[in-house]
Amino acid sequence: MIRKYRFGTPFETDAVVRELPLSEGMPEVGTITTEDGFCMTYTMAKQDMVYGLGESNRGINKRGYRYISNCSDIPNHAEDILSLYGAHNFLILSGEKTFGLFIDYPSDLEFDIGFTRSDVMTIRCKRADLYLYVLEGDSPLDIVREFRGIIGRSYIPPRFAFGFGQSRWGYKTAEDFRTVVRKHRENHIPMDMLYMDIDYMQGYKDFTVNPEEFPDFKAFVSEMKEAKIHPVPIIDAGVKIEDGYDVYEEGKRNGYFCKREDGSDFEAAVWPGLTHFPDVLDPEARAWFGGKYERLTSAGIDGFWNDMNEPAIFYTPEGVEALREAYDRELRTGREIPPFALGSMAAGLANSRKDYDSFYHKVNGKMVRHSDVHNLYGYNMTRAAGEAFEKISPDKRILLFSRSSYIGMHRYGGIWTGDNKSWWSHLLLNLKMLPSLNMCGFLYVGADLGGFGCDTTRDLLLRWLALGVFTPLMRNHSALDTRLQEAYQFEGIEDFRHVISVRYRLIPYLYSEYMKAALRDDMMFKPLAFVYPDDTMARRVEDQLMVGNEIMIAPVYTQNAEGRYVYLPEEMLLVKFLPDGTLHTEQLPQGHHYVEVALNEVPLFVRKKKCIPLVKAAENTADIDMSTIEWLGYSGAEYELYEDDGITRI
């Protein structure tokens, strides 16, 4: 059962696509006040657990900390970070009373889940203008399915998007990309996608290609396709202010950019220098910006990743001027502003709330302050592309994922979890985010394997790849000036070849489970508690996940570990993919086990009376031979295999 409540005058986010009647009165969950903004409080029982919030920090059970939905460009994902790139305002309280909440509110929304007081959950925001959805069901999984049913079907990517992708900020020339392809093919390391970060552009301008490095971009794309590689370029949110740049001139001429209060176009510096932001909340501007992707699809591109779309701001002219005035005052008096305060002001130039307060969107003929709808920008940038692709490529799927998002964007693309670090803790955080993201409709998800920032290590990359084997988006991505972390950069290349090859052996299973989850409003990644609700120990496990309906994973995420402890809620078949291509299988009873896992092994557990499809390894998805399929698991078990051509829209 779903009840919908309206408070004040909500902004229509289009997160929910199914029409629901408004309920009368107040919700019968907690206490709600609206005198000073919106505030909902609920007293939790001792054993209550809280799931959800999509891309957020800390554990699968969110109880015990604070979280703020405020799409933020913050690359240092330490434990005290309250906001990340996405805003996913759906949670489930599971315990004495089980219910779900979706707060459809596009600005800052705070969740205090037992932080201020351990038994109290408080949800608050500054304006009481929102929709509140209260969902009831027999179990958390039932509630997830109810929620997914009202927000629309999850994005379905092409099948090649389940292959391995290599990326790095720093590939600049056509030869850089050719080298990566050559090294992968020479070493027989599987790969389907090669990502193009900002340096492929001409002066970091959207929908352009550096003519010196790519004099015939269409021919370059064709060359990659002949090698069975899909180039996937990045698109950023800001459009460079430059006379003669037609995208800028068109947008300015037609009024498609976000405005200041006085009606002038808002300016902010990002990678190209000063830019304007397309007003993607305006349907006409959104259609215009989305149509520009055809410049690259016409060259053969069939995949994109959208970035910097919180939107990220390095600085604004107004912010620089305010800082200059502060410095002048300091130099004149030496006392007005302490030096540490000046340093803080300089650091505060980026992603300033004052800047977000100072520009506007045109919505239904009215000007809406950006900060009031901030969390919708990345969603609508990706929506722009997704809606355009329905016209540009009406029959074929196009790969699309984004950094910033809000619930609703899951219908148009996936997400990657942003600029993580080469930290063991971020490997574990990657694991814990997966079910929460699935709850909110985001199925095509993944992290930068090996870590984006900092220098990775051989063992960290191998362990992270062993988790990435199971995530729909499997991409090795790293930052400029960090250690080169392509698989062929390390000794023992055969270990990397083997781990990545395991992914290709499992693609029939992973693709089947993804498609079933998308078409049936289900989750691909589930906490153990969702599958074994009566098992007290399973409710406590946060470092193991169910993947699909047949297997459980328990990745190793600790430096120098030679294995790990695993809890089995029922008898399962331990399977280890060994580096010589063989399988180690061992039937283990319910209970606690220590499982040894070498760096070059990939473990999984097949549930009792289940089996999964397995094929011979291939170097790209196009070469997967389904005639080599075999069944791994329990004798006599049956499996529902999903197959299609992997490219036709569904």
Side-chain angles (χ1 to χ4, degrees):
M1 179 183 292
I2 305 174
R3 294 185 175 88
K4 177 183 178 181
Y5 300 88
R6 181 172 62 200
F7 294 86
T9 307
F11 186 89
E12 300 296 334
T13 67
D14 297 331
V16 173
V17 295
R18 197 170 86 194
E19 290 291 332
L20 294 170
L22 288 173
S23 297
E24 300 292 335
M26 295 291 275
E28 297 180 1
V29 286
T31 302
I32 294 176
T33 61
T34 58
E35 290 79 15
D36 185 20
F38 176 89
C39 182
M40 174 181 178
T41 59
Y42 179 83
T43 301
M44 298 181 288
K46 184 177 181 180
Q47 298 303 319
D48 286 351
M49 303 178 75
V50 180
Y51 300 102
L53 300 185
E55 184 188 22
S56 55
N57 215 337
R58 298 203 169 214
I60 292 175
N61 180 5
K62 299 302 180 185
R63 187 165 179 171
Y65 206 61
R66 297 171 58 220
Y67 312 87
I68 298 177
S69 284
N70 177 38
C71 296
S72 301
D73 175 21
I74 300 177
N76 296 314
H77 306 164
E79 286 192 26
D80 62 343
I81 297 299
L82 304 182
S83 304
L84 295 174
Y85 302 101
H88 308 135
N89 306 333
F90 174 59
L91 59 79
I92 293 175
L93 188 139
S94 175
E96 288 189 0
K97 187 174 183 179
T98 297
F99 59 89
L101 298 172
F102 173 48
I103 304 91
D104 193 3
Y105 179 77
S107 189
D108 298 23
L109 182 64
E110 180 180 355
F111 298 84
D112 182 330
I113 308 177
F115 173 75
T116 300
R117 179 172 163 173
S118 62
D119 62 342
V120 175
M121 175 172 69
T122 303
I123 303 171
R124 63 169 65 90
C125 54
K126 291 182 179 179
R127 302 190 325 277
D129 297 311
L130 55 86
Y131 289 110
L132 171 65
Y133 297 81
V134 180
L135 302 92
E136 297 177 357
D138 294 332
S139 69
L141 191 52
D142 287 337
I143 292 171
V144 169
R145 289 168 177 154
E146 279 189 323
F147 180 61
R148 295 273 301 284
I150 68 171
I151 61 174
R153 192 179 74 186
S154 297
Y155 162 74
I156 295 176
R159 191 166 181 257
F160 73 74
F162 289 80
F164 175 73
Q166 180 57 48
S167 182
R168 182 172 173 85
W169 173 22
Y171 299 154
K172 297 183 178 182
T173 69
E175 192 55 37
D176 288 339
F177 293 100
R178 292 187 181 107
T179 297
V180 176
V181 174
R182 185 177 69 254
K183 290 286 190 180
H184 270 259
R185 294 300 185 235
E186 286 176 355
N187 290 287
H188 303 289
I189 304 169
M191 180 171 69
D192 272 81
M193 292 159 290
L194 188 52
Y195 290 87
M196 307 182 76
D197 212 318
I198 54 176
D199 292 310
Y200 82 90
M201 302 180 196
Q202 182 181 25
Y204 305 133
K205 291 181 290 188
D206 280 344
F207 312 113
T208 68
V209 176
N210 185 331
E212 294 181 3
E213 299 299 342
F214 303 94
D216 188 340
F217 187 64
K218 188 172 184 178
F220 170 77
V221 174
S222 179
E223 175 190 337
M224 293 291 105
K225 292 291 187 68
E226 288 177 9
K228 299 181 180 178
I229 296 296
H230 298 262
V232 182
I234 197 171
I235 302 294
D236 282 346
V239 172
K240 182 176 176 61
I241 299 171
E242 180 180 276
D243 290 337
Y245 173 33
D246 61 343
V247 178
Y248 159 71
E249 291 184 339
E250 279 182 31
K252 188 171 183 63
R253 182 171 61 250
N254 292 292
Y256 289 151
F257 296 127
C258 294
K259 307 295 183 185
R260 297 188 182 97
E261 192 170 14
D262 64 6
S264 62
D265 291 330
F266 176 74
E267 296 181 5
V270 202
W271 292 114
L274 287 175
T275 69
H276 293 321
F277 292 138
D279 186 1
V280 288
L281 272 68
D282 173 23
E284 185 179 343
R286 185 167 66 239
W288 165 76
F289 188 75
K292 297 303 176 187
Y293 285 77
E294 189 170 14
R295 294 187 172 190
L296 296 172
T297 60
S298 64
I301 293 295
D302 50 14
F304 297 89
W305 49 308
N306 288 343
D307 197 8
M308 306 296 288
N309 52 357
E310 292 71 35
I313 294 175
F314 292 168
Y315 63 84
T316 60
E318 293 86 349
V320 171
E321 181 59 30
L323 182 63
R324 181 181 293 113
E325 291 176 1
Y327 272 110
D328 287 345
R329 288 195 301 272
E330 171 70 8
L331 290 172
R332 284 197 307 270
T333 68
R335 294 182 180 179
E336 288 190 15
I337 302 177
F340 72 84
L342 286 173
S344 297
M345 288 182 65
L349 285 176
N351 307 314
S352 164
R353 179 57 185 249
K354 185 178 293 186
D355 290 333
Y356 289 137
D357 283 340
S358 68
F359 69 95
Y360 293 79
H361 300 273
K362 184 174 72 174
V363 181
N364 298 325
K366 297 181 180 179
M367 299 305 288
V368 176
R369 189 186 299 271
H370 172 79
S371 54
D372 292 340
V373 291
H374 171 73
N375 293 336
L376 300 181
Y377 194 87
Y379 158 24
N380 280 279
M381 178 189 173
T382 299
R383 179 181 182 178
E387 290 175 340
F389 293 157
E390 293 175 6
K391 299 176 182 178
I392 294 169
S393 180
D395 300 321
K396 294 184 178 181
R397 309 174 211 169
I398 291 181
L399 171 61
L400 180 63
F401 59 91
S402 170
R403 189 169 77 175
S404 182
S405 60
Y406 184 85
I407 290 172
M409 200 208 81
H410 71 286
R411 301 190 296 270
Y412 302 99
I415 63 173
W416 96 102
T417 55
D419 297 346
N420 60 7
K421 300 284 190 181
S422 297
W423 297 345
W424 290 92
S425 60
H426 278 182
L427 192 169
L428 180 58
L429 181 61
N430 179 187
L431 178 77
K432 292 183 177 183
M433 281 184 180
L434 294 170
S436 302
L437 287 164
N438 276 198
M439 288 174 63
C440 298
F442 293 94
L443 296 183
Y444 190 75
V445 295
D448 288 343
L449 304 177
F452 176 72
C454 305
D455 292 330
T456 198
T457 61
R458 183 178 187 274
D459 57 341
L460 175 58
L461 180 55
L462 280 167
R463 293 300 194 195
W464 216 327
L465 287 168
L467 168 59
V469 160
F470 301 96
T471 61
L473 171 58
M474 184 185 185
R475 179 176 79 151
N476 177 343
H477 183 43
S478 55
L480 190 70
D481 295 328
T482 62
R483 178 181 188 176
L484 297 173
Q485 65 182 51
E486 296 86 359
Y488 52 79
Q489 302 288 354
F490 298 88
E491 77 274 15
I493 291 176
E494 64 276 6
D495 291 341
F496 293 89
R497 177 191 310 121
H498 166 64
V499 172
I500 296 171
S501 293
V502 172
R503 164 58 163 237
Y504 285 74
R505 300 195 67 185
L506 287 168
I507 281 178
Y509 176 73
L510 298 171
Y511 186 72
S512 289
E513 295 306 298
Y514 184 99
M515 294 301 295
K516 286 183 277 188
L519 297 174
R520 298 171 183 173
D521 296 329
D522 206 344
M523 297 169 67
M524 184 174 177
F525 296 97
K526 303 182 185 77
L528 270 59
F530 280 29
V531 178
Y532 305 96
D534 298 325
D535 188 322
T536 303
M537 181 57 66
R539 284 171 57 86
R540 300 173 185 168
V541 173
E542 294 226 344
D543 58 356
Q544 302 169 208
L545 294 178
M546 311 306 297
V547 181
N549 295 305
E550 280 72 24
I551 69 172
M552 183 186 78
I553 61 171
V556 177
Y557 54 86
T558 307
Q559 182 175 336
N560 297 320
E562 297 180 357
R564 57 161 292 174
Y565 285 95
V566 176
Y567 174 69
L568 303 186
E570 63 178 330
E571 174 193 303
M572 293 187 183
L573 184 69
L574 165 64
V575 179
K576 290 194 286 187
F577 292 81
L578 304 180
D580 63 0
T582 63
L583 301 177
H584 167 85
T585 60
E586 181 181 354
Q587 193 168 301
L588 298 177
Q590 184 273 340
H592 296 272
H593 302 271
Y594 182 81
V595 178
E596 293 185 352
V597 183
L599 274 175
N600 55 10
E601 296 175 350
V602 179
L604 61 81
F605 299 82
V606 180
R607 295 178 63 190
K608 187 177 181 181
K609 298 182 180 179
K610 304 280 188 180
C611 67
I612 65 171
L614 203 63
V615 292
K616 186 176 180 180
E619 291 190 30
N620 54 76
T621 54
D623 288 345
I624 291 176
D625 184 355
M626 292 299 290
S627 71
T628 65
I629 198 166
E630 56 183 289
W631 300 97
L632 175 62
Y634 285 81
S635 177
E638 296 183 353
Y639 180 74
E640 180 186 7
L641 181 67
Y642 180 95
E643 289 188 276
D644 61 21
D645 64 8
I647 196 68
T648 302
R649 283 184 179 268
I650 298 173

